[in-house]
Amino acid sequence: MNTHTLTPYEAPRIGVFVCDCGSNIAGHLDCPDVAEYAKTLPHVVYVKENLYTCSEAGIGEIKKAITEQNLTRVVVASCSPRTHQPLFSSSCAEVGLNPYLFEMVNIRDQCSWVHMGTRDAATQKAKELICMGVAKSAGLEALNEIESSLIRKILVIGGGIAGLSAAQALGDMGLDVILVEKTASLGGLLQQVHQLDSGVMAKEALSQIIDDVRSQSNITCYTSATVTETGGYIGNYDVKIETQTGLVEEQVGCMVVATGAVPLIPEGILGYDGRQVISLMQLEQLLQRDKLDAKRVVFIQCAGARTPEREYCSRICCMIGVKNAMLIKDKYPLTDVRVLYRDMQMYGTHKEQMLWDARGKGIRFDVYTPDNPPEVENGKVTFFQAVTGKTQELDADLVVLSTPLVPRNDSGKLANMLRVPTDQNGFFLEAHAKLRPLDFAADGIFVCGSGRYPATSTEARTQGIGVASRVAAILFKEKLVKSAIVAQINPDACVGCMACLPMCPYEAITYNRDKRICEVNEVLCKGCGNCAATCPSHSAMLRGFKPQQLLAQIGAA
Amino acid sequence: MLDVGRHPNIKLLAYSELERLEGDAGNFTATIRRKARYVDEDKCTGCGACAQVCPTPVLDLYNEGHAERKAIYSWFAQGIPSTHAIDPDHCRVLNGKKCGICQKKCEAGAIDFDQTDVIIDLPVAAVVVATGYDVFDPSRMPEYRYNQLDNVITAMEFERFLSASGPTAGHIYRPSDRKVTATIAELEKKVKKSQKALDRFEKTHGKKSDEFYAAYTDGSLKPGEDLEKDQDKWAKRVEAHLENANPLAVLKEKAKGFTTAKKIAFIQCVGSRDLRFYPFCSGYCCMHSIKEAIIAHEHDNDTHTVIFGMDIRAVGKGFEEYKIRGGNNSNISYKRSRVAEITRNPDECPVLIYEDTREQKIQRQAFDLVVLATACGPVKGAQKIADTLGIDLDRFGFFKTDPSNPLDTSRDGIYVCGCAHSPMDIPESVAQASSAAARAAQTVIKKNDQKAS
Amino acid sequence: MTKDILVLGGGIAGIQSSLDLAEMGFKVHLVESLPSIGGKMAQLDKTFPTNDCAI
């Protein structure tokens, strides 16, 4: 045991507050008896039973007791720490007791609620739980929250519609932005698109945003540039950018990944030849240059998507297919336009309306099934019409293959550099599929646009703007403040075995080659305790849950 | 949710409505009506003792009407704030009757029958509209007989059945069976009571009621026996008893055959992609049905599900994979068809009538339970909200935005997100909510800068 | 001049907007017409595609 972290022994003065929670607790166990028992526990100098400890009156009692009784530890035996710990510990702090000297015991959720009807047993269990809580509280240490500085500058990687929207929104919020685009021009995939589903020309929509981004003095754009190195952590990243004029080193507080995706080139799929059988993106360019010359056009949806090799649905190709089918029909009304599909993914209000409109214009939609895919040969498309069960042959002088967006081939490299995950398809993996679609699990790094999963231009723009919110929620603060419940590694005891490194889900531990020990970055650490459980030399410990604290708790049981 | 409740920068005004909005971006005044809860928000600790003693049951809309709550209630168990509210339509006191039991029970002294609505004015710089959606009422579609057939329910009702905290604790009992079970419980109560009365007679006379009654009806009772003054009364009691006991026995016999629903059909696009109602697609319902089918299968591996739809729109990250997984591992089959009609078999099983296009035949198929994937439509009162805010609705009835500025409504400083914008699933709502927040923040920052310069 | 922001609706969208704005340092007034927030999502048992609990 190292000596220099030991504090001089000082007998703690513990106050225990037992909550009746109306009848939620008191209805099923004997609270006065539990309170009497608490008085007998070591170091307990004050006990109070409250009708509701969380009520204003209850909180008042805690504060009063801390001041008048000189309490140095507070234990509340009530409900769930998930809901009430912050209230109680901050109330302690208000009268000068370090919030980490507060301990909570749940005698409701896992005690009174589950032992209804066995009053004596419930009472006994509550006593034991409190005994354990008091034992742990005696060993608690005062801790200070961890603070760290924030650089109010953001690196946005990718200059497509998502990255541009993020940069624009962040700039509008008064933050400094560095926008890095790999190619020579801003605009991404939309530069190759003819007209958007809203009827606006893609070039016009883009140039409006690009002009605005270029005009903002707090946004620096680097084109033909790549990010080559990143280091540091939330609030303090060091990045290196290879630009046309040489290497630029920057410090930023947050990073945004907006690298987009690329359309699959359907080599070897459905007779693709690039002339009579083309991809959707090639069609966009034909339309852009007004070079379309065909009397019979057949679109085949899900070309290379929703297959065993590429299971996912690329979300946007049905809409783009229908949009272009309509454009062709509008411009050349005598052209026969047919769409072969599996499921028309025209979700939402506007897209489904497009589908109604397309049918109204005389575009024909037919269902095929994946077990019986269409065949394209010599200007003919043969397919099994799933609805009628008949095989049909269509003449086509142009076949358009609606191919999915696929991840960029260098996205894995970027993911490695940023130490963020990708999913089984190679798209960047967000922190939570439902509730945190724009965050990475690593704090301070965000994702938007088709690099995460194929998105329409409107969706990519929405996500780009949304990222600005997520970033500002961090960078608008004066400094980063986080819980003191983090891991620490005793440098004298650590043997540098690195067993803790792979256990840390937050990449918060690094190996110091000079000292040959492992070190915790407190800003990155989230206090999960994996390292402490793994460490063979017991040199890794989680503050607030140190072995001696937990052993005291267990020992009391 | 919890985070909202305790965030120092968020003032939660639950049970409140916007009455008026005046001024311009950067300088609005919002007038809010805080509806009377009849419970003091500062005193109530949400312990729920009041709801335990309240004598007035009310249909629980959180559980889609499949359970009961009390006239004093919290919307749902984990609700934030946990402050209870009194339903003024049902509370006895608020309707001039005698009661007040909750007030006596409440140890925090939070019940206040004299509370009135409070109107407050708030200066705000920007507004985010996240008023959500309302689900299509399937009784508007006569062919699905939602009102007549007990075992035809909506996806949200099914969701409550699946929930461990729901009315059936997660077991999929058919509503028709639940009705029978409820009737049995009611009759049992009555029979228990009438049996007690019979017990007294039996004790006095040392004779079983059925023996007595048999003798009574065939006239074999001798007048000399010591029953004279009692026998008519007793007979009446027996008759009253049998009035309940006989149907109870029948129902109990019937209930022996009840099992949970194992053959379940989902019908997609109920009210959506339908020119009679909503022409648009609700986006999330295909996935919602697949999810419900997977969870139902998790509960009971004998569950078989058929999802009837025109397209299965699994459009989202991981959704197509989820759909395939459902088909492979959870006994789900997907049938491309629009169901024409639902009728019923004598055993209460709904029967779907649909065209199998491949066979070119009209099919009839019976299921234990049919779930209607009802459309996501504009929230009731959307026009009123739009008028109050001074913003436009789009042709579908949602709040109108421009595709190149997807969060901005027709009025500067007012932004919209989630299903108030258009139907969408949760991750899209969350992403859009962040975006609307960014737009609102930009407005505040810009307007304040202008003011400063 | 005020920096407060009004959010109408306490479903998942309103909650997320409010939290983001509050974290940015703006004072948020969150108005919900029902007695508690949570919206439709609070009625859901689990959510796709991860089958996580909705609450």
Side-chain angles (χ1 to χ4, degrees), chain A residues 21-24 51-52 54-56 82-83 86 169 172-173 198 306 311-313 315 341-350 352-353 355-356 367 369 384 386-389 423-425 427-430 433-435 437-438 452-453 458-459 461-463 465-466 468-470 476, chain B residues 2 6 42-43 45-49 52 105 107-108 273-275 279-283 310-321 323-324 336 357-358 360 394-396 398 403-407 422-423 425-428 430-435 437-439 441-442 445-446:
Chain A
C21 197
S23 57
N24 274 306
L51 184 56
Y52 297 105
C54 65
S55 67
E56 244 182 78
R82 226 170 86 82
T83 56
D172 276 338
M173 291 163 114
S198 60
R306 298 173 68 197
E311 257 193 343
Y312 66 91
C313 160
R315 187 177 178 96
Y341 71 97
R342 287 170 53 187
D343 296 275
M344 283 312 293
Q345 308 289 28
M346 304 298 274
Y347 55 94
T349 52
H350 167 70
E352 180 68 20
Q353 189 61 45
L355 193 54
W356 289 108
V367 180
T369 50
F384 180 77
V387 174
T388 58
D423 65 18
Q424 76 272 26
N425 297 312
F427 290 108
F428 290 104
L429 183 64
E430 63 272 39
K434 282 268 136 162
L435 299 177
L438 305 176
R452 175 185 153 263
Y453 175 65
T458 307
E459 288 163 357
R461 179 153 174 76
T462 302
Q463 291 170 18
I465 297 170
S469 236
R470 307 295 300 152
F476 275 4
Chain B
L2 266 175
R6 61 174 184 236
D42 296 329
K43 290 183 187 157
T45 63
C47 74
Q52 270 176 22
K105 181 74 186 177
E107 296 180 59
R273 301 184 72 192
D274 187 332
L275 289 179
F280 51 80
C281 162
S282 302
M310 297 188 281
D311 302 292
I312 297 298
R313 293 188 168 165
V315 202
K317 193 170 185 168
F319 290 3
E320 179 72 16
E321 294 91 321
K323 175 187 124 188
I324 295 170
R336 187 185 297 274
T357 53
R358 196 178 285 204
Q360 306 209 344
D394 67 15
R395 61 190 287 192
F396 307 107
F398 295 95
S404 44
N405 291 301
L407 297 315
S422 60
D425 60 21
I426 296 168
E428 262 193 280
V430 171
Q432 227 191 20
S434 288
S435 318
R439 295 292 296 140
Q442 285 166 11
I445 293 165
K446 282 202 167 155

Side-chain angles (χ1 to χ4, degrees), chain A residues 443-461:
Chain A
D443 287 341
I445 314 182
F446 302 89
V447 64
C448 57
S450 293
R452 175 185 153 263
Y453 175 65
T456 66
S457 61
T458 307
E459 288 163 357
R461 179 153 174 76

Side-chain angles (χ1 to χ4, degrees), chain A residues 277-428:
Chain A
V277 184
I278 63 172
S279 74
L280 204 50
M281 233 356 134
Q282 281 174 303
L283 176 68
E284 290 279 357
Q285 281 145 49
L286 284 182
L287 290 167
Q288 219 175 34
R289 285 177 294 168
D290 202 8
K291 283 273 168 75
L292 186 79
D293 176 28
K295 292 282 168 281
R296 291 183 203 85
V297 183
V298 177
F299 286 79
I300 302 177
Q301 302 302 115
C302 296
R306 298 173 68 197
T307 59
E309 312 84 76
R310 207 174 285 105
E311 257 193 343
Y312 66 91
C313 160
S314 174
R315 187 177 178 96
I316 65 172
C317 350
C318 279
M319 184 274 284
I320 300 173
V322 174
K323 175 199 75 173
N324 287 327
M326 284 205 285
L327 281 176
I328 295 172
K329 200 74 183 166
D330 283 344
K331 202 157 179 193
Y332 313 102
L334 293 178
T335 311
D336 184 41
V337 184
R338 315 206 23 154
V339 179
L340 307 185
Y341 71 97
R342 287 170 53 187
D343 296 275
M344 283 312 293
Q345 308 289 28
M346 304 298 274
Y347 55 94
T349 52
H350 167 70
K351 293 184 199 69
E352 180 68 20
Q353 189 61 45
M354 284 171 72
L355 193 54
W356 289 108
D357 293 346
R359 289 199 168 103
K361 286 177 196 286
I363 297 165
R364 231 184 113 164
F365 292 82
D366 289 294
V367 180
Y368 77 87
T369 50
D371 46 342
N372 218 335
E375 282 171 25
V376 184
E377 212 169 15
N378 302 327
K380 282 195 195 311
V381 178
T382 316
F383 78 102
F384 180 77
Q385 195 175 34
V387 174
T388 58
K390 289 185 185 125
T391 304
Q392 282 215 2
E393 199 178 85
L394 304 173
D395 289 326
D397 34 35
L398 184 68
V399 176
V400 182
L401 303 181
S402 292
T403 59
L405 288 185
V406 294
R408 292 183 174 284
N409 51 21
D410 58 357
S411 62
K413 208 173 116 188
L414 182 64
N416 279 341
M417 182 170 73
L418 298 173
R419 290 194 276 182
V420 295
T422 53
D423 65 18
Q424 76 272 26
N425 297 312
F427 290 108
F428 290 104

